[in-house]
Amino acid sequence: MHAALLLTHSWLRWVILAGGVYVVLHLCRICVSRRAWQGRDNYLVWAFGRAFLYQVLFGVLLYMMLGEPSARDLDRRLGQPVPWPLVHGVVMLAALGVFHGGKALVYRRVPLSHRASAFLALMVGTLAMIAVSIPWPFLTFGRPLFRLP
Ligand code: HEM
């Protein structure tokens, strides 16, 4: 169960990053061409949010599965009192909060004419928070880029 969840969590990261970059480029195109906001644009932002939400749920499940020895090992490798999965989880939860709160604000307060640029700023901010919290292989507590079954 843990292995399958970790594999899914590891690969879903690429779906979220690639999907996020696609949405950013799409929003850039809308801003540059100054075309009107359409229903399909809402759908792209929604789909990114949904994948992100599932990834966070998988992450929380993984966190609950971390046993004591595993947590101690992660602690020692980081050489710091706070284990990286905790920092990782807190930053990812914060990113999810920023994304969902920001999305609600954009829909309520931002006129259609400025919606693409507002979502662009929100997406770039959210992706930056996600990118800094991923355990990239070059970090002390790094994990593989592509985990195999
Ligand atoms: C509240 C949200 C999250 C929590 C609590 C969480 C928790 C965890 C935990 C506990 C691990 C280590 C699992 C283990 O070694 O058994 C892990 C690994 C990882 N997490 Fe998360 N995670 C969250 C969100 C995310 C998000 C949003 C992403 C990326 C979009 C992400 C990307 C990764 C990656 C790439 C790994 C390494 C996987 C591997 O070892 O191959 N996490 N996460």
Side-chain angles (χ1 to χ4, degrees):
M1 175 66 179
H2 175 267
L5 209 50
L6 187 61
L7 189 70
T8 311
H9 195 63
S10 189
W11 282 96
L12 192 52
R13 161 242 326 244
W14 293 116
V15 174
I16 287 168
L17 290 177
V21 170
Y22 177 81
V23 176
V24 164
L25 293 177
H26 180 81
L27 292 169
C28 284
R29 271 199 303 269
I30 300 178
C31 290
V32 171
S33 66
R34 293 170 185 269
R35 80 149 164 79
W37 185 260
Q38 294 169 356
R40 176 173 173 260
D41 307 321
N42 289 320
Y43 177 73
L44 281 179
V45 176
W46 172 84
F48 171 82
R50 211 22 86 98
F52 188 21
L53 178 67
Y54 282 124
Q55 177 74 326
V56 166
L57 292 178
F58 291 148
V60 170
L61 284 176
L62 273 174
Y63 192 82
M64 292 190 312
M65 284 179 187
L66 279 182
E68 271 300 306
S70 160
R72 271 203 303 274
D73 176 51
L74 292 166
D75 244 355
R76 209 173 35 242
R77 276 204 280 158
L78 186 57
Q80 281 173 8
V82 185
W84 78 263
L86 186 61
V87 179
H88 169 74
V90 167
V91 177
M92 292 302 192
L93 271 182
L96 185 71
V98 166
F99 179 74
H100 278 285
K103 200 172 76 159
L105 264 182
V106 172
Y107 279 128
R108 262 187 231 149
R109 302 264 166 89
V110 180
L112 277 180
S113 53
H114 289 83
R115 197 160 276 187
S117 51
F119 270 131
L120 181 59
L122 184 63
M123 284 295 303
V124 169
T126 305
L127 281 177
M129 286 178 83
I130 292 174
V132 295
S133 178
I134 285 178
W136 298 109
F138 55 83
L139 299 170
T140 355
F141 45 87
R143 296 303 186 90
L145 278 183
F146 304 103
R147 187 175 284 280
L148 298 174

